[in-house]
Amino acid sequence: MEHQMESQKRRGISKEDLISERTGSLGCVGWVIVILSGLFTILLFPITVWFSLKIVQEYERSVIFRLGRITDRKAKGPGIFFILPCTDSFVKVDLRTVSFDIPPQEILTKDSVTVCVDGVVYFRVSDPIASVANVANADFATRLLAQTTLRNVLGTKNLAEVLSDREGIAHSMQSNLDEATDNWGIKVERVEIKDVKLPLQLQRAMAAEAEAAREARAKVIAAEGEMNAARALKEASLVIAESPSALQLRYLQTLNTIAGEKNSTIIFPLPMDVMSHFMQK
């Protein structure tokens, strides 16, 4: 029971408080050892200088431990710094942005469809001391957390949302990862969904559905065209009925169009009244 209460209390402790716990006093015995180590380093300076002098690159920082405790709340570097050979040890931390591919994950969406999704995550170390003191392997832990976060986020989405809202999914993953890795000294800069692979049968079903939808739209458009043409013909017939000479002009225009195409055959329409007169004879 006491262990549970202690763990609950520690959940509310920030990473600065955790670091301050580790940068406490060395104690009397510790200071004696440090003083002796310093004297030993001074007496054998021509030799110990090669063990005390350390260099870190511009993109690196060094976390120094003295008798197992972190010496300062700020990491050393870049450049030259000194350590005591007998009591100090240090860990180099790379501050450059790291990118890694999330392995393809088979995920069951909210509407019970199995999809295979992979992605890429970009992150960097924002707090070298927290990344060393608060987690055993910050890089490996972030990779595992990215995989589980991808599963958890996509498990709450429908297939249509997974296919259309990749930017929103990536933003949600980034927020969750950044919040979870804050105590580890990790800053998640960007998350991208690379590919969403659907089962072959589902691809065929979606292709058939899309083809049927296109055919339905084509039929509707053709029907609308026929309806508009019928309306136009109706309006044209009403105009011609109002003016009998308009029919003759239309007839002459049609003959002119046929003659312009260099045809050898010209058809002359005859009125039905004339044809009926010959048929009676």
Side-chain angles (χ1 to χ4, degrees):
M1 187 68 177
E2 294 179 359
H3 177 70
Q4 292 179 355
M5 293 176 62
E6 183 179 359
S7 62
Q8 291 176 358
K9 292 180 180 180
R10 291 183 64 85
R11 290 176 186 174
I13 298 177
S14 62
K15 64 181 180 180
E16 290 80 6
D17 297 332
L18 294 175
I19 293 172
S20 64
E21 291 179 0
R22 296 182 174 90
T23 57
S25 176
L26 298 176
C28 296
V29 178
W31 281 112
V32 171
I33 296 175
V34 170
I35 292 172
L36 292 177
S37 177
L39 293 175
F40 174 77
T41 302
I42 295 173
L43 293 176
L44 301 177
F45 184 75
I47 299 175
T48 57
V49 66
W50 305 107
F51 300 97
S52 301
L53 183 64
K54 302 296 178 182
I55 301 175
V56 292
Q57 303 295 332
E58 179 69 29
Y59 54 84
E60 293 178 333
R61 296 294 183 271
S62 180
V63 181
I64 300 177
F65 292 88
R66 178 164 295 164
L67 295 178
R69 290 184 174 273
I70 298 175
T71 59
D72 195 356
R73 293 188 178 184
K74 185 177 180 181
K76 299 295 183 181
I80 301 175
F81 64 94
F82 292 89
I83 63 172
L84 297 177
C86 300
T87 60
D88 293 355
S89 61
F90 69 96
V91 178
K92 286 185 179 180
V93 179
D94 196 331
L95 301 183
R96 291 177 293 184
T97 299
V98 179
S99 63
F100 73 92
D101 292 329
I102 302 176
Q105 306 289 316
E106 289 190 357
I107 300 168
L108 186 66
T109 61
K110 189 177 181 180
D111 50 354
S112 300
V113 178
T114 303
V115 294
C116 187
V117 184
D118 59 353
V120 60
V121 178
Y122 300 87
F123 69 94
R124 61 179 175 84
V125 176
S126 60
D127 190 343
I129 296 179
S131 66
V132 173
N134 294 348
V135 63
N137 190 334
D139 182 86
F140 183 68
T142 304
R143 293 172 186 266
L144 292 181
L145 184 61
Q147 298 180 23
T148 57
T149 303
L150 178 63
R151 288 176 173 271
N152 294 336
V153 172
L154 293 183
T156 61
K157 303 291 183 179
N158 296 325
L159 178 61
E161 296 175 346
V162 173
L163 296 177
S164 61
D165 192 20
R166 295 191 180 186
E167 184 177 354
I169 293 173
H171 181 71
S172 178
M173 284 187 59
Q174 180 181 353
S175 300
N176 294 340
L177 283 173
D178 200 19
E179 181 180 358
T181 58
D182 183 59
N183 287 334
W184 300 346
I186 299 295
K187 173 65 177 177
V188 178
E189 296 181 339
R190 190 177 182 88
V191 178
E192 292 292 342
I193 303 298
K194 292 176 60 178
D195 191 17
V196 179
K197 296 181 180 179
L198 303 177
L200 184 59
Q201 295 180 352
L202 182 59
Q203 292 181 16
R204 293 176 179 174
M206 294 179 65
E209 180 183 0
E211 184 177 0
R214 286 193 297 269
E215 291 180 356
R217 287 196 299 269
K219 291 180 179 179
V220 170
I221 293 173
E224 290 178 353
E226 293 291 339
M227 181 177 64
N228 294 332
R231 289 177 179 175
L233 289 174
K234 179 182 177 182
E235 294 177 358
S237 64
L238 294 176
V239 173
I240 292 174
E242 293 176 358
S243 177
S245 60
L247 181 60
Q248 185 68 20
L249 293 175
R250 181 59 181 166
Y251 165 66
L252 295 175
Q253 184 181 3
T254 303
L255 291 180
N256 186 25
T257 303
I258 295 174
E261 296 179 358
K262 298 181 180 180
N263 294 327
S264 59
T265 303
I266 298 177
I267 300 175
F268 290 92
L270 296 176
M272 293 300 297
D273 296 339
V274 177
M275 294 298 297
S276 61
H277 178 71
F278 285 106
M279 290 177 65
Q280 289 177 1
K281 291 182 178 181

